[in-house]
Every structure is written in structure tokens, then in C-alpha cells.
Amino acid sequence: MTFVLLVVKGLFSSVSALGPAIINRLAADRTALMIGIYTALQTMAGVIAPIVSGSLIQKAGSDIVLGYNYSVLMIVALGVVFSSLFLIIVNPDKLKKKKTTSVDKDSENVVV
């Protein structure tokens, strides 16, 4: 169980580092705006998550362990839902192809 939690924590942490790179690749025209929104949502999650987790633990009553289990289960469920949405919505194969001109004035297809 500890190994699984460590792997999941590592995968969630890698999203923080890869998020801006993915945004830059998929939304090159609006990179600054999208990275700003991404960072704002990440920061809001840091404010909202302890409040929601605390309320789940409090609603569990005298069984605090059950409240922590519900809290972890909520985090896992949200991770699965949003990861699935990302896989469904983002399709990197359909990126716009843009014609560019090389030094020899030959046009090439370049993925932008």
C-alpha cells in the first residue's frame, strides 16, 4: 500500500512540472493566459482541499480513520475523473499543421 501511495504521489507531482510544457505545446497562441489559469486553479486547490478534507473527517464523527479514508478516496476519485477527462479531451494528434519556409524556400509541414 505504501508503494502505491508513493507512486501516485510521484505521478501527481510530475503533473506540476509537465503542466506548463503541455499547455505550451497544445495552446501556443494563449500560453501565458492558460498557464495563469492553470496556476490559479492549482493554488485554489491548495486552499479548498484542506477545508473539504477537514469537513469529511469531521462528518465521520468518532471514527476519525474512516474520515481520513474518505478524504483519500475523494482525492483518488478526483484524480481518476480529471485524468480520464484529460485523455478524452486532449488529442495531440490533431494539432494544427502550419506551413513554414526553410532557408531553401521549400515549404515543409511542421507541427506547431
Side-chain angles (χ1 to χ4, degrees):
M1 181 67 174
T2 305
F3 176 74
V4 172
L5 288 174
L6 289 173
V7 169
V8 169
K9 173 63 177 156
L11 291 174
F12 277 149
S13 297
S14 68
V15 171
S16 296
L18 293 176
I22 292 170
I23 291 170
N24 187 29
R25 178 81 170 126
L26 296 176
D29 296 341
R30 299 176 187 251
T31 301
L33 173 69
M34 296 305 290
I35 289 177
I37 292 171
Y38 172 77
T39 305
L41 291 175
Q42 259 187 330
T43 307
M44 294 277 294
V47 172
I48 295 171
I51 295 170
V52 173
S53 294
S55 69
L56 286 173
I57 293 168
Q58 195 172 32
K59 287 184 187 208
S62 62
D63 193 2
I64 296 175
V65 174
L66 182 64
Y68 279 104
N69 286 340
Y70 285 155
S71 178
V72 170
L73 185 62
M74 178 198 62
I75 293 169
V76 170
L78 288 173
V80 168
V81 166
F82 286 108
S83 299
S84 301
L85 286 174
F86 180 80
L87 290 174
I88 291 169
I89 294 171
V90 175
N91 192 355
D93 295 334
K94 292 187 177 183
L95 291 175
K96 292 188 230 174
K97 290 194 174 188
K98 183 178 174 184
K99 291 226 174 205
T100 60
T101 307
S102 66
V103 178
D104 300 329
K105 303 285 185 198
D106 295 330
S107 62
E108 302 173 355
N109 284 329
V110 177
V111 176
V112 175

